[in-house]
């Protein structure tokens, strides 16, 4: 560490440490958390599916809890409800995706077995075969002098891309080993459509994901597809089973294996394919309203109260779906009834104990996270306060439930100086900060929950999890528990109230989150993106334009 950085850090430490001294850990009520978890995780809410009766009942319950705390409503017309128009669409098995080779031989693909529609709707229709063109990773990144579209014309064609981005060990080039926003599917879609493409086909990268399991992936698409009503698209968007993806390269100068080799050697190329594709979809569709639940505790400092920290958690889950082991209600206790319950109790503790943070705190409970981060995306598009005044987002998606822990992990902390707040909060509570455990896919960790919506909008954001060095079980046992949950319970009906929850760990995690929130809200120093962060420029534009 350079001397100037040391001085900055210690000044930061002194400044924020004084804040901690004024705000010792508060008395979180574990009994209240248990009550919320038992209620939200019960079959009464039928899995809290987006746009379902159970989801609406959950929203009403949460709004009532905010009302009991007498926090300020920030929803529509003086309520806690931020109403969101949505479009639901479910492709039927009769849908037809067809590949044509240069001799007009046809290969018909089966929905779910061979392909998944990432974005669908009754508008998606390509009756005439369209030319395919391979566009590498589908990335345009001027700051890295990289452009997969430079040598090709994709207008009116369907772009084929591979997941991921160029490999690098240099943080100055695609942030080294860390994934950037260019690896996100949404980024690839945006680049393709902006260049005039009629659609995009994405091929999983088996080099980066050697344990890729299509059967596991497709289970996430057995439910209704939901989109924000204003983002419904007519552009074809497909994830292709890699087992049949080589059919796209028939007659071309390179095969899929050649593409993987290009990725390994960092020599990706774009080139036209000699195949075409058509799609005729059959859909069941509906339009409906779903709601974010939003309230605020106003800051006490006359100047700082006009800046805001958003503390968020998603209350939705998958609803009722395919039966597994005799159960069809996807209760989502760990994902994310417990996170919502902790948020409610943190808000309650701050309000009832009259803590009065200097900055204002917005508590946002999002709908539609499981459908593509819809609630958080709508929030940043229609924020009740200007985004340039929104200093940070702490997202709560999952709470320590196996055992008490000795360290914490800041997902996304490497992008901003929220890492400093994280380190200081940890030091105050006798914890350390560790790196992202290898059991998490680094490429997915930051981009797979609502914190990424804030990051893409320019707001420094973070997700805080426990480390895997537990107090009463070994690291190996902790990893085993994470793997077991991921394989046996995650996104299944078995993520329910029958799972054991260590509420001592829940309490410890809750108190840490509380300490972190107060550190950020009571500091006169605002969180900032690091100079090499891919989200910095968006933040600077937001501030300059006062958006």
């Amino acid at each position: 560490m350079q001397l100037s950085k040391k001085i900055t850090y210690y000044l930061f430490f002194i400044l924020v440490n004084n804040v901690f001294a004024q705000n010792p850990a508060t008395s979180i009520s574990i009994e209240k958390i248990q009550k919320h978890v038992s209620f939200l995780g019960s079959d009464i809410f039928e899995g809290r599916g987006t746009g379902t009766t159970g989801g609406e009942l959950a929203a009403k319950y949460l709004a009532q809890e905010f009302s009991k705390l007498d926090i300020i409503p920030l929803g529509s017309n003086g309520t806690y409800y931020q109403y969101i128009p949505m479009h639901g669409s479910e492709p039927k098995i009769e849908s037809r995706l067809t590949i044509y080779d240069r001799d007009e031989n046809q290969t018909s693909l089966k929905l779910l077995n061979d392909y998944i529609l990432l974005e669908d709707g009754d508008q998606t229709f390509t009756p005439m075969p369209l030319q395919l063109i391979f566009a590498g990773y589908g990335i345009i990144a001027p700051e890295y002098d990289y452009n997969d579209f430079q040598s090709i014309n994709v207008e009116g064609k369907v772009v084929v891309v591979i997941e991921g981005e160029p490999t690098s060990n240099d943080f100055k080039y695609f942030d080294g080993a860390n994934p950037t926003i260019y690896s996100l599917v949404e980024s690839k879609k945006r680049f393709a459509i902006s260049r005039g493409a009629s659609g995009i086909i994405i091929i999983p990268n088996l080099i980066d994901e050697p344990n890729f399991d299509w059967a596991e992936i497709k289970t996430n698409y057995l439910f209704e597809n939901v989109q924000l009503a204003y983002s419904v698209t007519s552009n074809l968007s497909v994830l292709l089973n890699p087992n049949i993806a080589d059919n796209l390269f028939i007659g071309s100068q390179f095969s899929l294996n050649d593409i993987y080799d290009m990725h390994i050697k960092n020599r990706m190329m774009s080139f036209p394919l000699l195949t075409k594709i058509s799609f005729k979809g059959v859909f069941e569709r509906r339009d409906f309203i779903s709601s974010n639940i939003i309230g605020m505790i106003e800051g006490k400092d006359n100047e700082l109260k006009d800046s805001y920290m958003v503390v968020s958690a998603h209350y939705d889950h998958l609803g009722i779906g395919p039966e597994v082991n005799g159960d069809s209600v996807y209760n989502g206790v760990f994902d994310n009834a417990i996170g919502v319950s902790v948020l409610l109790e943190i808000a309650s503790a701050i309000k009832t104990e009259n803590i009065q943070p200097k900055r204002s705190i917005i508590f946002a409970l999002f709908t539609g996270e499981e459908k593509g981060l819809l609630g958080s995306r709508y929030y940043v598009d229609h924020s009740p306060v200007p985004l340039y005044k929104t200093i940070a987002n702490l997202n709560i998606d999952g709470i320590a439930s196996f055992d008490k822990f000795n360290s914490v992990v800041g997902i996304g902390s490497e992008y901003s100086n929220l890492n400093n707040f994280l380190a200081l909060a940890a030091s105050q509570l006798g914890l350390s900060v560790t790196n992202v455990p290898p059991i998490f896919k680094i490429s997915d960790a930051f981009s797979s929950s609502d914190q990424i919506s804030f990051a893409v909008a320019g707001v420094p954001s973070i997700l805080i999890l426990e480390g895997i060095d537990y107090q009463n079980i070994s690291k190996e046992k902790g990893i085993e528990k994470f793997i077991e949950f991921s394989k046996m319970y995650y996104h299944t009906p078995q993520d329910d109230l029958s799972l054991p929850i260590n509420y001592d760990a829940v309490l410890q995690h809750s108190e840490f989150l509380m300490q972190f929130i107060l550190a950020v809200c009571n500091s006169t120093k605002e969180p900032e993106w690091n100079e090499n962060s891919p989200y910095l420029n968006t933040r600077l534009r937001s501030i300059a334009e006062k958006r």
Side-chain angles (χ1 to χ4, degrees):
M1 184 183 290
Q2 297 176 355
L3 180 60
S4 60
K5 289 185 178 180
K6 284 185 177 180
I7 293 172
T8 300
Y9 179 80
Y10 287 127
L11 286 174
F12 183 89
F13 181 90
I14 292 170
L15 174 66
V16 184
N17 201 41
N18 288 332
V19 172
F20 278 110
Q22 298 166 15
N23 294 290
T26 58
S27 54
I28 297 287
S29 169
I30 202 65
E31 291 78 15
K32 290 182 182 177
I33 293 175
Q34 286 177 299
K35 169 181 170 286
H36 293 311
V37 171
S38 297
F39 197 46
L40 288 169
S42 69
D43 284 354
I44 294 172
F45 296 105
E46 299 179 335
R48 307 185 305 281
T50 302
T52 68
T53 300
E56 292 176 5
L57 288 174
K60 289 182 179 180
Y61 172 75
L62 298 172
Q64 287 174 355
E65 291 302 309
F66 275 7
S67 181
K68 289 177 185 177
L69 296 175
D70 196 29
I71 63 179
I72 300 169
L74 286 187
S76 306
N77 302 319
T79 72
Y80 295 108
Y81 299 89
Q82 184 182 42
Y83 298 112
I84 307 174
M86 294 187 177
H87 179 78
S89 181
E90 187 173 351
K92 311 309 289 184
I93 200 67
E94 296 86 357
S95 299
R96 286 288 177 265
L97 183 67
T98 306
I99 300 173
Y100 304 80
D101 66 18
R102 59 182 174 181
D103 297 321
E104 298 298 320
N105 296 313
Q106 301 180 18
T107 302
S108 295
L109 306 186
K110 293 183 178 180
L111 182 66
L112 294 180
N113 286 343
D114 300 323
Y115 71 98
I116 291 165
L117 291 173
L118 295 176
E119 255 180 26
D120 53 61
D122 46 288
Q123 298 89 344
T124 306
F125 184 49
T126 56
M128 299 298 293
L130 294 177
Q131 189 68 50
L132 297 176
I133 188 164
F134 183 72
Y137 304 103
I139 291 173
I140 302 173
E143 68 271 38
Y144 303 126
D145 193 27
Y146 188 92
N147 187 348
D148 282 313
F149 294 87
Q150 187 170 3
S151 62
I152 55 175
N153 178 10
V154 302
E155 188 170 356
K157 302 180 177 68
V158 174
V159 169
V160 179
V161 302
I162 190 168
E163 280 189 331
E165 60 189 6
T167 56
S168 171
N169 294 318
D170 182 357
F171 78 91
K172 293 182 179 180
Y173 187 70
F174 284 94
D175 204 20
N178 299 316
T180 72
I181 56 175
Y182 295 114
S183 66
L184 300 179
V185 170
E186 287 300 323
S187 295
K188 298 176 187 293
K189 291 180 187 176
R190 186 167 59 252
F191 289 130
I193 301 307
S194 69
R195 288 294 176 118
S198 296
I200 186 170
I201 296 175
I202 299 173
I203 302 173
N205 190 329
L206 299 186
I207 302 302
D208 290 348
E209 299 183 77
N211 298 319
F212 180 86
D213 186 346
W214 181 261
E216 180 180 334
I217 294 295
K218 76 176 184 179
T219 59
N220 294 322
Y221 293 88
L222 298 177
F223 298 84
E224 177 188 38
N225 176 278
V226 178
Q227 301 175 58
L228 299 174
Y230 60 82
S231 66
V232 175
T233 177
S234 61
N235 299 100
L236 185 66
S237 182
V238 169
L239 179 67
L240 198 63
N241 188 331
N243 290 336
I244 58 94
D246 221 12
N247 284 294
L248 302 181
F249 298 88
I250 292 174
S252 299
Q253 55 184 318
F254 300 108
S255 67
L256 180 58
N257 283 334
D258 292 328
I259 303 301
Y260 289 142
D261 190 55
M262 292 178 193
H263 173 69
I264 293 171
K265 295 177 179 177
N266 236 355
R267 296 179 179 175
M268 191 59 65
M269 294 175 57
S270 299
F271 54 92
L273 300 176
L274 298 182
T275 48
K276 297 180 180 180
I277 202 161
S278 68
F279 177 72
K280 182 179 181 181
V282 180
F283 300 94
E284 184 176 321
R285 57 193 184 274
R286 67 187 179 115
D287 294 292
F288 61 94
I289 300 292
S290 189
S291 302
N292 290 333
I293 306 300
I294 312 171
M296 180 181 72
I297 295 176
E298 189 174 43
K300 68 175 182 178
D301 185 281
N302 287 333
E303 293 184 5
L304 296 180
K305 71 178 182 181
D306 196 32
S307 60
Y308 307 86
M309 179 180 187
V310 178
V311 179
S312 60
H314 75 91
Y315 72 85
D316 68 295
H317 198 55
L318 300 178
I320 296 176
E323 187 175 292
V324 180
N325 297 328
D327 191 356
S328 61
V329 179
Y330 289 66
N331 302 82
V333 169
F334 282 65
D335 181 22
N336 183 36
I338 195 166
V340 171
S341 301
V342 166
L343 181 148
L344 288 174
E345 178 52 20
I346 289 174
S348 175
I350 292 174
K351 185 67 176 179
T352 59
E353 294 180 24
N354 199 27
I355 292 174
Q356 296 185 324
K358 292 181 179 180
R359 300 182 191 272
S360 299
I361 305 175
I362 295 174
F363 292 95
L365 295 166
F366 292 135
T367 183
E369 190 268 359
E370 301 288 2
K371 299 299 185 181
L373 317 181
L374 302 184
S376 57
R377 284 168 50 195
Y378 188 88
Y379 179 95
V380 298
D381 285 347
H382 304 84
S383 175
V385 300
L387 283 181
Y388 79 94
K389 294 183 178 181
T390 304
I391 62 165
N393 164 243
L394 167 66
N395 189 42
I396 305 173
D397 194 358
I399 293 292
S401 305
F402 301 146
D403 188 28
K404 294 185 70 175
F405 47 90
N406 295 312
S407 66
V408 291
V409 176
I411 306 295
S413 63
E414 67 274 19
Y415 296 119
S416 74
N417 69 354
L418 283 174
N419 191 51
N420 293 340
F421 291 97
L422 184 71
L424 289 166
S427 69
Q428 289 294 314
L429 296 179
L431 301 172
S432 60
V433 177
T434 57
N435 295 326
V436 178
I439 52 176
F440 296 118
K441 292 180 180 179
I442 294 177
S443 61
D444 292 338
F446 189 56
S447 62
S448 61
S449 192
D450 289 313
Q451 64 275 351
I452 190 64
S453 296
F454 286 88
V456 170
V459 178
S461 58
I462 192 171
L463 171 71
I464 300 175
L465 305 177
E466 83 272 26
I468 56 174
D469 48 338
Y470 295 100
Q471 293 187 11
N472 301 298
I473 60 176
S474 66
K475 280 188 177 182
E476 291 73 20
K477 185 66 175 178
I479 292 174
E480 182 182 311
K481 283 180 173 289
F482 267 108
I483 294 173
E484 179 187 22
F485 178 79
S486 298
K487 289 187 175 181
M488 302 293 293
Y489 304 108
Y490 178 69
H491 280 190
T492 75
Q494 283 66 55
D495 178 8
D496 61 16
L497 294 171
S498 67
L499 289 178
I501 297 176
N502 184 325
Y503 276 100
D504 288 336
V506 173
L507 178 60
Q508 183 188 17
H509 198 164
S510 303
E511 289 179 338
F512 182 87
L513 294 177
M514 178 79 143
Q515 196 80 334
F516 177 83
I517 292 165
L518 295 177
V520 174
C521 289
N522 287 330
S523 173
T524 57
K525 183 178 178 63
E526 290 188 9
E528 297 175 342
W529 292 114
N530 297 333
E531 289 184 4
N532 63 335
S533 168
Y535 312 106
L536 175 60
N537 289 338
T538 303
R539 181 63 171 176
L540 295 177
R541 285 196 301 271
S542 176
I543 294 171
E545 298 171 5
K546 293 189 175 182
R547 288 190 288 109

